[in-house]
Amino acid sequence: MKCLVTVLFFLWMASYCSCRLISEATGRRFNVLDYGADGNGKIDATPAFQKAWGDFCQASEEMPTLEVPAGKTFLLKSVSFSGPCMSKNPHVLIEGTIVAPNSFDSWDDDDYQKWIGFTAVVGLIVDGGGRFDGRGEAWWKACNDNDSACSKRRQALHFNKCNGLRLSNLHHVNSQKGHICINACDDVEVSNLQILAPDESPNTDGIDISESNHVNIHDSFIGTGDDCIAINGFSTSINVTGVKCGPGHGISIGSLGKDGAYETVEDVHVKSCAFKGTQNGVRIKTWETGSGYVRKITFEDITFVNSENPIIIDQQYNPNGNRGGSGIKISDVTYRNVRGSSADEVAIALNCAGKAACTNIVMDNVKITSSNPGKQIRASCNNAKGTAISASPTVPCLSS
């Protein structure tokens, strides 16, 4: 009996020490309420957040936490949180709601690019189940009315040079412009996000990626007025899995090559994604005057429900007209196990330019029908070369 008590004592001590180590490892908590934020959503909390960030970023222990508490609403103006921070895993826990000013004169005029920015914060973790509300309605109206305020819209959440970023379990709504921008980042994990804006809200992209490598986006719902996800220039090793998209303009690579720019994108894999009522499905778009390449792209296990332009390559993208031959080469693009319904007569459009063309385009087990009962659909292609292992509708420029 004595031996048993001794064993139980040591097991208890081991458990106690383990709990203490885990507690200590998680680091201190820096609650923005302790720095003067009132949480009523009416008084500017930006100075309090900046003070809290200053102490939080200097904390050297493992995983300190900047806490935005539940049940509170915080009004933030344009703000930048810059690193490097002392900790290898700084944790921003957003359990409450962060709202933007909803009038034009409440913003400073010196930053028209972003609302909330993180720069050079390595190992950053942002999660917590909270909410970002960009309150962009006034800016959308300004754009529809051709008001000059439209040019002063800000992207909501901007990450620049944040290698090792982990972004998860958050709600993002009604940004003035794009909701999330990932720029010049490596080793990024994005998951379990909900991003929402009305389908008529202009340029409200869900997630924009540029100049970034090894980005993994999965298990999220995105419904906005523009691209659910846009993969832009100099991005490689991008994986998108289990994303539900709609409304919106689909998942796009590009646009690339605007104003004659040289841009590249390669090694992109979009898998197990669903599109419902979108203006486009899976799209590659390049400006005709640009140069560079898009290659090693796979769209696999994709479903469409009443989507316009389910599969589209537009190598002559130019919303303003004045088309010419494209210099951006598109190659090694595979569509595998693609199913669903098209709202348009043209379900597959391969609009490739004669100068660069599209090569090694593969359709493998693609079956798209019309969402309008009794109507036929077709494929349209120009200057595309490759193979159709099994494709319906038939793609005439690809060999079977």
Side-chain angles (χ1 to χ4, degrees):
M1 183 69 181
K2 185 176 181 181
C3 291
L4 177 60
V5 171
T6 302
V7 170
L8 290 173
F9 173 76
F10 279 108
L11 286 173
W12 177 82
M13 283 297 295
S15 174
Y16 172 77
C17 292
S18 175
C19 290
R20 284 200 62 189
L21 287 172
I22 292 172
S23 176
E24 291 171 0
T26 57
R28 287 174 288 167
R29 299 173 78 90
F30 300 83
N31 191 316
V32 295
L33 294 175
D34 297 333
Y35 289 83
D38 57 17
N40 66 3
K42 298 178 181 179
I43 299 175
D44 182 14
T46 310
F49 273 65
Q50 290 173 316
K51 290 178 183 177
W53 177 267
D55 289 348
F56 160 77
C57 193
Q58 291 302 308
S60 59
E61 66 265 25
E62 182 72 14
M63 199 179 293
T65 298
L66 177 66
E67 185 175 10
V68 180
K72 300 291 184 179
T73 300
F74 301 92
L75 176 67
L76 286 188
K77 296 184 177 181
S78 289
V79 61
S80 293
F81 300 112
S82 298
C85 292
M86 296 293 291
S87 174
K88 294 180 180 179
N89 298 107
H91 180 205
V92 178
L93 181 68
I94 300 173
E95 296 178 312
T97 297
I98 297 176
V99 298
N102 60 358
S103 63
F104 301 137
D105 56 5
S106 297
W107 292 85
D108 296 328
D109 291 336
D110 58 348
D111 189 353
Y112 294 146
Q113 300 302 315
K114 58 185 178 296
W115 172 29
I116 299 171
F118 294 88
T119 300
V121 186
V122 175
L124 176 64
I125 302 167
V126 185
D127 60 17
R131 179 182 177 97
F132 292 91
D133 188 346
R135 301 204 286 187
E137 293 86 349
W139 282 264
W140 307 336
K141 185 177 185 302
C143 294
N144 292 331
D145 295 343
N146 294 316
D147 190 297
S148 60
C150 179
S151 64
K152 299 178 181 180
R153 292 177 298 160
R154 296 159 176 83
Q155 291 178 320
L157 198 56
H158 190 278
F159 298 96
N160 182 55
K161 299 180 181 178
C162 292
N163 294 343
L165 171 67
R166 299 293 182 264
L167 178 66
S168 66
N169 191 28
L170 292 166
H171 303 268
H172 302 253
V173 299
N174 298 333
S175 177
Q176 298 172 18
K177 200 174 179 183
H179 286 80
I180 298 171
C181 178
I182 298 169
N183 179 71
C185 298
D186 185 55
D187 181 24
V188 175
E189 188 91 11
V190 177
S191 64
N192 296 296
L193 299 186
Q194 184 183 69
I195 304 174
L196 299 173
D199 58 359
E200 68 273 11
S201 57
N203 309 119
T204 52
D205 290 13
I207 302 174
D208 287 324
I209 303 166
S210 59
E211 300 180 26
S212 296
N213 306 310
H214 305 102
V215 178
N216 184 18
I217 301 172
H218 60 92
D219 301 308
S220 296
F221 179 88
I222 305 173
T224 67
D226 210 303
D227 293 327
C228 291
I229 298 173
I231 301 166
N232 297 299
F234 305 108
S235 296
T236 63
S237 299
I238 311 297
N239 291 285
V240 179
T241 308
V243 170
K244 294 181 180 179
C245 172
H249 294 185
I251 294 177
S252 297
I253 295 175
S255 65
L256 304 175
K258 186 177 180 180
D259 297 327
Y262 174 87
E263 293 185 289
T264 66
V265 170
E266 67 178 315
D267 193 18
V268 175
H269 304 279
V270 179
K271 185 174 182 179
S272 301
C273 293
F275 301 79
K276 184 175 182 179
T278 53
Q279 183 174 312
N280 301 287
V282 290
R283 175 169 61 160
I284 300 173
K285 51 181 178 175
T286 64
W287 288 73
E288 60 277 346
T289 55
S291 61
Y293 58 81
V294 176
R295 63 193 183 196
K296 299 179 182 177
I297 313 297
T298 302
F299 301 104
E300 185 173 8
D301 299 332
I302 305 297
T303 60
F304 303 109
V305 176
N306 195 35
S307 292
E308 302 174 32
N309 305 308
I311 294 175
I312 180 170
I313 295 178
D314 189 355
Q315 214 177 11
Q316 296 178 313
Y317 177 78
N318 189 342
N320 303 317
N322 301 319
R323 295 189 179 278
S326 175
I328 293 184
K329 298 179 180 180
I330 297 176
S331 64
D332 307 317
V333 181
T334 297
Y335 304 87
R336 180 179 296 116
N337 300 333
V338 177
R339 294 283 188 275
S341 59
S342 172
D344 282 344
E345 177 188 354
V346 179
I348 301 173
L350 307 180
N351 180 26
C352 302
K355 187 175 181 180
C358 304
T359 59
N360 196 25
I361 308 301
V362 177
M363 299 279 172
D364 181 3
N365 197 21
V366 174
K367 186 175 182 180
I368 303 174
T369 60
S370 176
S371 56
N372 300 307
K375 289 197 174 183
Q376 297 296 313
I377 61 169
R378 63 186 178 89
S380 171
C381 59
N382 184 38
N383 292 312
K385 300 177 181 179
T387 304
I389 299 172
S390 174
S392 178
T394 301
V395 186
C397 58
L398 303 182
S399 61
S400 58

